[in-house]
Amino acid sequence: MTKPIEVRNPRTGKFDYVIIPPPPRLVLQQCRRTRRVQVRWQQLGLEGRIEALQQWKEAILSGRDRLTEALVNDTGRLSGSVLEIDSFLSSIDRWCRLAPELLQESAKNTAIPFIALQQTSVPYPLVGVISPWNFPLLLSTIDTIPALLAGCAVIVKPSEITPRFVAPLITALNAVPKLHDVLTFVEGAGATGSVLIENVDLVCFTGSVATGRKVAQAAAKQFIPAFLELGGKDPAIVLESANLELATSAILWSSVVNTGQSYSAIERIYVADSIFEKFYHQLVAKAHRLELAYPTVESGEIGPIIAEKQAAVISDHLLDAVEKGAVIHCGGVIEDLGGGWWCRPTVLTQVNHSMKVMTEETFGPIMPVMPFSTVEEAISLANDSIYGLSAAVFASETEALEIAQQIDAGAISINDAGLTAIMHEGEKNPFKFSGLGGSRMGAAALKRFMRKKAILIKTNATNDPWWFENGE
């Protein structure tokens, strides 16, 4: 029998939930069963698939309170959970609206007069989605919804750290017979994910670089596509021409939203020498205004550290920075409150790239601020990383655009931060070790689940093959 996994509550520290991973043979059976029913889902047509997804959305709305409660228990935060649910529901509407145009097939003439081309696509039958713990609902469904609309069946393996949200989704799925057979969830840890990869036709993974490497290798062994979004160490560059009030507010928000537990959080800040002191003083003043969401979820803006092991990482990075000369101006301590781990917004100066807090993914509400003397130095510092997920530049628009072109990252926010969280039209690819594969945003986010087919049609009545037509 598979060993049960006890799940920790991030607010109380208690292990108050249990999941039982299925044995490998049951995962295999589920994959085979889901792949079989995918044919009916594809034959349902796009209108039928849209109708089923809209019915699922309505069923989720009916049980929204239960889903919110489950997400709060998973993550320890309320406002972020509400935002996650809202984003998830709006993504169903957005993809249902965009899919008819994006999946439209076409026929056209070619350079050879008597050969027409019909361009068509077919979905990958079975998609596996392996999602992380920081945004459990959103990152379980960000790939799932476009894949379903493309005609794929999907099996999701959520993180074993935050699995509670799955039960309300399954309850809602049971109200939509056409959908519940082609969208299923399997619970478990890495071993379950490994079996899933061996039995699907395409895998989407969000998580750490270390695990992402293993997923990529396993997918390559199966000769299937892998779309990976991995870690980030997003930089922000602030020039003298920046609006400091805007820059400090935007960077603070991006650094501490979801307690910094986001791959697109700003994790290192480079500020022009001439405005360095003014900048970090403003940042510290604003950071002091934020409160922990303790003792209740309504008490403040900063939730607990969700994964217990992440508290150790944050503590290690802070200790390493202080030992190497960094100065902490606010926060800087991992607090045990009511059994949960908490960290207040933390601003550091006197930092450099010998410190883990400037080079390794911290995944906490930590804001190290470093001065630069020239724009070239700022760009060099921003690019001095194994990561290349996102970045931000604060300056006059002309200056900011010139800098953005030179930053090695897939998405650059100008005079704001984390804009990919609210703007989904722009296609972007992760750079370096931040990921691999097609864009999660824009038209490519749906089209990557389709395999292209070219149907070449000879249009004249002759019995001769094409080379006779051309005098061969």
Side-chain angles (χ1 to χ4, degrees):
M1 181 178 176
T2 307
K3 185 178 179 181
I5 298 175
E6 293 186 320
V7 182
R8 177 180 171 274
N9 186 307
R11 294 191 66 87
T12 66
K14 295 179 180 178
F15 290 86
D16 57 8
Y17 193 83
V18 176
I19 60 174
I20 302 176
R25 61 179 179 82
L26 289 185
V27 178
L28 172 60
Q29 290 173 7
Q30 183 65 64
C31 288
R32 288 175 175 172
R33 183 164 56 248
T34 307
R35 182 181 279 106
R36 284 197 303 270
V37 297
Q38 179 270 336
V39 176
R40 293 201 305 271
W41 177 249
Q42 182 180 349
Q43 291 173 346
L44 188 61
L46 180 57
E47 287 188 8
R49 297 195 292 272
I50 288 173
E51 181 182 358
L53 279 167
Q54 288 294 328
Q55 289 173 353
W56 187 37
K57 187 190 82 170
E58 293 303 316
I60 290 167
L61 283 169
S62 297
R64 177 170 180 144
D65 289 347
R66 186 181 172 206
L67 179 57
T68 302
E69 180 183 2
L71 269 180
V72 169
N73 287 331
D74 273 333
T75 63
R77 38 99 168 135
L78 176 60
S79 60
S81 297
V82 171
L83 180 62
E84 240 189 297
I85 295 171
D86 288 341
S87 299
F88 161 55
L89 295 173
S90 68
S91 71
I92 293 177
D93 287 338
R94 183 178 71 254
W95 282 119
C96 287
R97 184 178 69 252
L98 294 174
E101 180 180 352
L102 295 177
L103 295 178
Q104 194 170 34
E105 296 183 353
S106 63
K108 59 183 179 180
N109 295 325
T110 68
I112 301 175
F114 54 88
I115 297 180
L117 169 64
Q118 182 177 329
Q119 193 74 64
T120 187
S121 302
V122 293
Y124 288 90
L126 183 58
V127 170
V129 173
I130 301 174
S131 60
W133 49 261
N134 56 323
F135 289 99
L137 171 64
L138 191 60
L139 294 178
S140 289
T141 55
I142 192 170
D143 300 307
T144 297
I145 295 166
L148 287 167
L149 284 167
C152 311
V154 181
I155 296 181
V156 180
K157 191 210 82 67
S159 171
E160 68 278 15
I161 295 172
T162 52
R164 299 171 182 84
F165 76 99
V166 172
L169 291 186
I170 292 176
T171 299
L173 273 175
N174 290 336
V176 191
K178 291 179 181 177
L179 185 58
H180 73 73
D181 286 338
V182 292
L183 173 57
T184 58
F185 294 80
V186 292
E187 297 179 323
T192 302
S194 296
V195 177
L196 185 64
I197 295 169
E198 292 173 359
N199 292 284
V200 297
D201 305 302
L202 180 154
V203 62
C204 297
F205 171 82
T206 308
S208 69
V209 172
T211 306
R213 284 177 180 269
K214 296 176 182 178
V215 172
Q217 291 166 357
K221 186 177 180 180
Q222 298 299 320
F223 219 66
I224 63 172
F227 300 129
L228 313 176
E229 184 162 303
L230 309 179
K233 191 71 180 174
D234 289 3
I237 295 175
V238 186
L239 269 61
E240 190 174 9
S241 58
N243 178 330
L244 285 193
E245 187 65 31
L246 168 65
T248 50
S249 294
I251 289 171
L252 176 64
W253 175 86
S254 179
S255 299
V256 306
V257 68
N258 198 32
T259 317
Q261 299 164 123
S262 169
Y263 297 108
S264 59
I266 294 296
E267 289 210 4
R268 49 199 174 107
I269 306 159
Y270 304 103
V271 182
D273 274 328
S274 59
I275 58 170
F276 178 75
E277 285 204 20
K278 186 175 181 181
F279 175 90
Y280 87 75
H281 282 301
Q282 281 193 26
L283 187 64
V284 169
K286 291 180 179 181
H288 272 302
R289 298 173 196 162
L290 299 177
E291 300 289 342
L292 299 181
Y294 183 86
T296 71
V297 289
E298 296 90 0
S299 297
E301 303 84 3
I302 308 299
I305 299 166
I306 297 171
E308 189 170 21
K309 63 181 180 180
Q310 203 60 41
V313 172
I314 297 168
S315 183
D316 176 58
H317 285 197
L318 291 172
L319 180 62
D320 173 75
V322 170
E323 287 178 346
K324 292 175 179 176
V327 176
I328 294 176
H329 297 274
C330 59
V333 178
I334 304 297
E335 303 178 52
D336 180 352
L337 299 173
W341 297 111
W342 303 77
C343 183
R344 298 176 190 272
T346 301
V347 178
L348 300 89
T349 59
Q350 301 297 315
V351 294
N352 59 63
H353 280 217
S354 73
M355 302 173 182
K356 295 177 182 179
V357 78
M358 294 298 285
T359 57
E360 298 180 12
E361 188 173 43
T362 307
F363 228 53
I366 312 300
M367 293 162 279
V369 190
M370 182 176 176
F372 64 83
S373 55
T374 67
V375 171
E376 291 74 22
E377 181 188 7
I379 295 168
S380 177
L381 289 167
N383 288 336
D384 182 23
S385 175
I386 66 169
Y387 300 107
L389 194 59
S390 308
V393 182
F394 295 83
S396 69
E397 189 170 322
T398 300
E399 287 180 301
L401 287 170
E402 289 178 358
I403 293 170
Q405 294 295 337
Q406 300 174 68
I407 294 178
D408 297 331
I412 319 294
S413 297
I414 302 295
N415 290 322
D416 211 329
L419 289 179
T420 53
I422 60 171
M423 205 288 289
H424 305 279
E425 287 85 352
E427 294 186 7
K428 63 183 180 70
N429 296 117
F431 285 36
K432 304 178 184 178
F433 285 96
S434 280
L436 183 70
S439 173
R440 268 183 167 171
M441 306 295 178
L446 193 153
K447 292 182 177 179
R448 64 194 166 131
F449 295 109
M450 309 291 287
R451 292 171 291 181
K452 294 184 182 298
K453 295 179 72 171
I455 313 262
L456 306 173
I457 307 162
K458 185 175 180 181
T459 58
N460 66 6
T462 177
N463 291 324
D464 291 331
W466 72 268
W467 54 85
F468 278 78
E469 302 277 349
N470 286 272
E472 296 293 333

